[in-house]
Amino acid sequence: MVCENTRPIFTAMPNADTPIQIEACDLVVAGGGIGSLVAALTAARTGARVTLLRPRQGVGAGFVSLPHDNNVLLDVGCRRFDFTQDMHALPLAHYQLGARTRPFAGHARTFIENVLALALSPTHPPQLSYGGKLVPDFATSLDLTSLKHLVSPGDLARIIQETDNLLSSDAPSPYTLGLGRWPDLAGTRLEHASLINHGPTFHARFIEPFAQKLYADGWKDMPADLTAKIWTPLFFPRTVNQGARQVIDRARPAVTYFYPAAGHFGAFVSQLVAKVDGAENIRQISHNRLTSLANEKGQIVAAQVDGPPLHWSCPFTLGVSVDHYFDLAGIEAPVEKLPIAIVWVEIAQDDLLSDLDTVMVFDPGTPVYRVSRAGEGARDGHAILALEMTGGPNVCDAFDAPSTLAQLGLLREGASLTRLRAENEVKIIAPSQTNRQNLRAARTALEARGVSPVLIGTLNDLKADMLNDQILQGLTITQAL
C-alpha cells in the first residue's frame, strides 16, 4: 500500500465493554483526511498532546495513489500543488476560513517542503484544448489572446462588444468581478455569474459546455462561489475583453503547478502519514467507524461500530466524510454526488504531440474534461495519463481513448496505447445548495447536543475542501481552537 503505518497504533479491542478514557490530551483529532493529519502534526509540533482517531480505511482520501500491476502507481485524476500567490502575501495568522487562499499559499509550500521534506518539481504549463487546438489554459495563465484562433471572427467581435457593454455599464451587478472588491458569489448562481462577467457568447462557447460535462443537471443553479468544485473558471470582464483584443490582462501571476519529484501524488500522503506516525506526542487510536457523538456531563462520548466508547474532555476537531458527518448528526438526507469516470493509459512519449502535463478540455464534442499525467512506474520512454470524463454505468467500456486523444490534438494519428485501468463512477460531492444547507443542518444538530468540534474541510463548507484550504486549516488549528 502507498500509506502504511510506520509505528504501532493503539487499537481498541472489539466487543470490549469498558469505555476508553482519553486522558493527558490537549487535542483530539477525529479523521484521516489531509486537513486532519496536518492539524494533528501542527498541534504536536507546538508541544500539544494529541490523540488522533484514525480510520482504518480512507486515510488521505482521494489524494493517495492507487497501486497497479508491476509497481505502477496511479493518481486519482489530476493532483497538483498550486502555490501561486497574489501580489501581496499575508501572514498565516490572518487566514480565515472561507477567505481566498492565494495570499497564504507560501505557507502551504513551506510546510510541504520544509516540514514534510517533500521534494517538488514544477510541471509544464497547463493547456486548454478546443476544436483540436492546444493553447495556454485560460484559467491558470489568464492569457486569453488565443481566442482569435478558437472562435469565428463574428464570435470574437461579439465577445468584444458584449464585454465592452459590461465594462461601460453605469449600474454593474454586485456580482461583477474586478471592481476593486471581491463579491460574495454565494448569493448568485453560476450561470448568472458567468453571463454578467463574460457575456452570452463567451459563456455559450466555453463555460456552458464545460460545466455541463461535470454537472449536467445542476450547474446552472449551483452557488457561484463553488465554481472551483467543477473546475469551471470565472473571469473578470476586463480579462475576457482584453484577451479578445490580443492583450494579456492579469490580476495575479500565471499559475505554475508543482508535483512530487517521486512521480506520484501519493508520495505527499505517505510523507505526511510518516511524519504523523513519527511524532512522539501523537497517540493514535484506530477504528472502523464512529457511530455517534454526544456530550455527557461535559465529556464528549464517541461510540464505535465495533469497540468500546471513547470519552474525552479536551477540544477536538472533526474531519470525516460528508456521509459520515450526516450519520453522526442524525441527518437523514442523501448526499448529492456527481459521478466522474477515469481511464488510465500508458503511452509512448514520442507519440504525444505536446509537452503535456495538464490539459483542460473545453471541446463540447467529447465527455472528457481533463487529461493529465497521473502516475509513476511506466515503462521507459512512456507516460501514464488519466482521462477524466462524465461518469455513469459502463461509460468506460465504449470509450475510445486513442481517437479521443487524437481529436484533442494530443496524440499522433495511428499511435497505440495500453489501457491500464478504468473506473466508471468515482463519486465526488455535488456543489449544490441542498448539500450546503444539509451541512449547516448537521452542524446545528450536533451543537444542540452540546457537541461543537472545530470542523475541517468539506464539513465547514463545500468550498473549504480544496487542497490548500485543508492544509491551511490544519496549519491554523491552534488559532481556530
Side-chain angles (χ1 to χ4, degrees):
M1 292 293 293
V2 176
C3 254
E4 291 190 356
N5 303 335
T6 58
R7 69 187 180 105
I9 296 177
F10 173 80
T11 302
M13 292 298 292
N15 303 316
D17 296 323
T18 305
I20 297 175
Q21 183 70 44
I22 299 175
E23 298 176 332
C25 182
D26 301 307
L27 174 67
V28 169
V29 177
I34 299 301
S36 295
L37 297 175
V38 174
L41 183 58
T42 299
R45 282 168 51 81
T46 68
R49 297 164 299 177
V50 178
T51 297
L52 174 63
L53 307 183
R54 174 168 156 177
R56 291 193 179 95
Q57 294 182 340
V59 172
F63 295 103
V64 299
S65 296
L66 305 176
H68 191 63
D69 296 340
N70 300 319
N71 298 316
V72 170
L73 294 170
L74 306 174
D75 295 341
V76 186
C78 181
R79 296 286 183 253
R80 300 292 184 271
F81 292 112
D82 176 3
F83 302 126
T84 309
Q85 294 188 161
D86 284 337
M87 298 302 181
H88 302 289
L90 293 176
L92 187 59
H94 290 196
Y95 172 75
Q96 293 182 340
L97 182 67
R100 296 169 63 240
T101 61
R102 289 204 181 278
F104 309 97
H107 302 289
R109 181 172 186 174
T110 297
F111 171 78
I112 291 165
E113 292 187 317
N114 295 351
V115 177
L116 300 187
L118 183 69
L120 301 174
S121 300
T123 70
H124 291 293
Q127 297 169 288
L128 179 149
S129 173
Y130 189 86
K133 298 176 182 177
L134 287 176
V135 299
D137 175 50
F138 289 170
T140 51
S141 70
L142 293 182
D143 176 1
L144 277 67
T145 57
S146 57
L147 277 171
K148 77 169 190 176
H149 304 297
L150 303 180
V151 300
S152 68
D155 276 350
L156 189 67
R158 280 185 284 274
I159 290 172
I160 292 173
Q161 183 61 59
E162 290 161 5
T163 48
D164 275 342
N165 294 341
L166 294 172
L167 291 167
S168 62
S169 172
D170 293 330
S173 164
Y175 302 111
T176 299
L177 301 174
L179 297 183
R181 45 95 185 115
W182 194 263
D184 182 8
L185 294 173
T188 190
R189 300 174 296 110
L190 173 55
E191 182 181 44
H192 180 247
S194 177
L195 287 169
I196 63 173
N197 282 287
H198 306 143
T201 302
F202 185 90
H203 171 83
R205 296 293 176 270
F206 295 96
I207 303 302
E208 180 171 5
F210 186 80
Q212 282 182 334
K213 293 184 185 186
L214 285 122
Y215 199 2
D217 298 327
W219 74 270
K220 291 183 179 181
D221 295 321
M222 63 176 277
D225 66 323
L226 300 180
T227 179
K229 293 289 292 179
I230 57 169
W231 303 287
T232 302
L234 285 176
F235 300 102
F236 293 2
R238 184 182 69 245
T239 300
V240 178
N241 181 274
Q242 293 296 290
R245 295 178 183 274
Q246 298 298 285
V247 177
I248 299 175
D249 179 84
R250 288 193 177 111
R252 57 149 170 83
V255 168
T256 297
Y257 284 148
F258 288 83
Y259 193 70
H264 62 99
F265 206 83
F268 162 58
V269 182
S270 296
Q271 193 73 353
L272 177 56
V273 169
K275 290 291 184 180
V276 169
D277 286 344
E280 291 299 324
N281 49 337
I282 297 180
R283 176 199 191 195
Q284 300 192 45
I285 298 179
S286 178
H287 64 88
N288 280 329
R289 186 177 179 86
L290 303 179
T291 58
S292 68
L293 292 171
N295 187 320
E296 296 181 3
K297 299 180 180 180
Q299 280 208 327
I300 299 300
V301 178
Q304 300 187 71
V305 70
D306 59 355
L310 306 168
H311 292 228
W312 67 86
S313 56
C314 61
F316 83 106
T317 72
L318 186 64
V320 298
S321 70
V322 175
D323 305 74
H324 193 180
Y325 184 48
F326 284 5
D327 288 344
L328 290 172
I331 299 296
E332 296 182 359
V335 180
E336 296 180 354
K337 296 185 179 181
L338 303 180
I340 63 173
I342 307 177
V343 173
W344 290 268
V345 299
E346 184 185 61
I347 184 170
Q349 297 272 16
D350 290 345
D351 287 333
L352 291 172
L353 298 179
S354 168
D355 289 329
L356 181 156
D357 178 75
T358 303
V359 178
M360 304 305 294
V361 181
F362 279 73
D363 298 74
T366 173
V368 173
Y369 64 85
R370 183 164 58 193
V371 179
S372 62
R373 292 183 185 259
E376 195 259 342
R379 291 171 292 166
D380 288 345
H382 289 70
I384 295 171
L385 304 184
L387 292 84
E388 300 171 65
M389 68 195 83
T390 308
N394 306 315
V395 346
C396 297
D397 296 347
F399 178 69
D400 187 340
S403 64
T404 298
L405 290 170
Q407 172 191 341
L408 299 178
L410 301 175
L411 184 66
R412 179 178 60 80
E413 200 71 44
S416 62
L417 51 79
T418 302
R419 180 183 285 210
L420 300 176
R421 179 169 175 166
E423 295 287 345
N424 287 305
E425 293 185 273
V426 178
K427 298 292 183 70
I428 62 174
I429 304 297
S432 68
Q433 188 63 35
T434 298
N435 276 344
R436 173 172 270 174
Q437 291 169 346
N438 287 336
L439 282 168
R440 293 169 180 165
R443 184 172 194 156
T444 300
L446 283 176
E447 288 174 348
R449 298 184 209 160
V451 179
S452 301
V454 173
L455 301 175
I456 295 238
T458 312
L459 306 190
N460 273 305
D461 188 75
L462 290 172
K463 70 176 180 181
D465 75 334
M466 306 303 283
L467 181 55
N468 275 6
D469 285 291
Q470 293 211 35
I471 294 172
L472 291 169
Q473 288 172 60
L475 291 176
T476 56
I477 189 60
T478 53
Q479 65 192 52
L481 294 168

